[in-house]
Amino acid sequence: MTAGHIAGFYHALFCLRDADGYPTGTARELANGETTHAHKLIAPVEATALTFEREIATFRGGQQILGRRQLGISEIGAFEITLSAFDEAFHALITGSAVDTSIASANSVTTPNALSADPPQGMLLLTLGFQTTAGANKYITYAYPNVQISEAAAGGASQAGGENPLPTRYTVTVSGAERTFFGLPYSATDLRAESDLFVRYVTAKPISVTTFKATAGATGFILGWRPVSGEHAGARNVWTKNGVSAHSEVTGVNTATGAVTINAAADGDVFVSVFETEFESI
């Protein structure tokens, strides 16, 4: 069990999710043999808190309150995330649009796709600072496995200076999911939940996510960043295959190249890797 205090906003990641609830990085659909990674957002500034409204029944009679009972959540509030920069790649992922360089090859064009009634579903990971009551500095990641994100405001202009005079703000709409961002269903964990809105994950270092969809006989793939540990027994890095814990399927992790070796896979096997990293390029 871990207890501690939370401060600081260090990293934010986004990845798309498929119909089975697996993270698919920057790919809307994974082809066999494809590896994809969560997209790292540029310089997150802040995120407002996710709020809930709960239906409450009050029992009253004889001029006194006899009792009260919670009846579950009646509303899930959206929250906002603010970035210091405009990130074209992130924008395209959350809107289902694309960055166009065909109009002018030396320049780029994006669209808010604001008239789309159903933005893509994805996963959002927010990594904050965490210090244990024993004084050890760690990280805590709020991992939302089912979100839709849209621009909260666009087109503002100002001649003001100071800190982040024109940041970009996004509205995050959260839905429940039966599968965690690890690739594991909630029912396959010890969390005692069948579905939920997010998990908190306390780690020694920040984390990232890589997903690999295998071809028959595949024996390896490459992570998106250098992992800080080559551990693959389920202590610091998490490995799943087809929604089941798969640490025994991983035979090696190279911390310099990010290469992961696995037992020969079957065609279409889905490997999800959640690993600690300092975000050093490979």
Side-chain angles (χ1 to χ4, degrees):
M1 299 292 183
T2 302
H5 303 96
I6 300 172
F9 188 7
Y10 290 88
H11 305 287
L13 304 174
F14 178 80
C15 56
L16 297 169
R17 72 193 298 271
D18 67 11
D20 295 316
Y22 290 109
T24 58
T26 58
R28 289 180 173 84
E29 291 185 12
L30 276 180
N32 289 6
E34 187 175 1
T35 305
T36 186
H37 318 288
H39 177 73
K40 189 175 185 296
L41 279 60
I42 299 173
V45 176
E46 64 181 358
T48 59
L50 176 66
T51 59
F52 314 99
E53 291 183 16
R54 296 183 181 273
E55 193 71 28
I56 298 175
T58 301
F59 311 117
R60 187 172 182 273
Q63 299 301 308
Q64 59 183 320
I65 292 178
L66 304 175
R68 305 185 80 201
R69 178 165 182 160
Q70 285 193 9
L71 301 178
I73 290 177
S74 59
E75 184 61 56
I76 302 168
F79 68 91
E80 286 193 355
I81 181 171
T82 301
L83 306 179
S84 66
F86 176 65
D87 180 348
E88 288 183 332
F90 172 61
H91 179 84
L93 288 172
I94 63 171
T95 60
S97 62
V99 180
D100 190 317
T101 56
S102 67
I103 297 172
S105 61
N107 303 319
S108 60
V109 181
T110 60
T111 178
N113 211 9
L115 301 182
S116 171
D118 192 23
Q121 291 175 278
M123 300 185 181
L124 180 66
L125 280 63
L126 308 178
T127 299
L128 288 64
F130 183 82
Q131 186 179 81
T132 69
T133 52
N137 285 343
K138 295 190 174 188
Y139 297 88
I140 184 169
T141 297
Y142 288 75
Y144 300 88
N146 190 3
V147 301
Q148 291 177 294
I149 302 177
S150 57
E151 283 187 276
S158 171
Q159 64 178 3
E163 182 178 294
N164 300 324
L166 290 171
T168 54
R169 294 188 296 110
Y170 297 90
T171 299
V172 182
T173 303
V174 180
S175 296
E178 295 181 352
R179 191 181 300 278
T180 67
F181 81 109
F182 298 107
L184 292 169
Y186 277 91
S187 59
T189 72
D190 292 335
L191 291 168
R192 298 184 184 178
E194 295 298 315
S195 62
D196 217 329
L197 304 176
F198 67 89
V199 297
R200 299 180 182 93
Y201 186 35
V202 176
T203 54
K205 298 294 183 181
I207 60 168
S208 189
V209 182
T210 287
T211 303
F212 169 61
K213 189 172 184 180
T215 53
T219 57
F221 57 93
I222 306 294
L223 299 174
W225 305 92
R226 288 182 179 174
V228 296
S229 170
E231 185 276 329
H232 53 87
R236 296 185 64 178
N237 302 317
V238 179
W239 315 89
T240 64
K241 182 180 81 170
N242 301 332
V244 178
S245 179
H247 302 112
S248 62
E249 297 284 342
V250 179
T251 58
V253 180
N254 189 310
T255 57
T257 65
V260 178
T261 54
I262 57 175
N263 296 329
D267 200 44
D269 279 347
V270 177
F271 289 82
V272 177
S273 310
V274 178
F275 59 98
E276 294 183 359
T277 182
E278 295 281 16
F279 296 103
E280 293 183 10
S281 298
I282 295 172

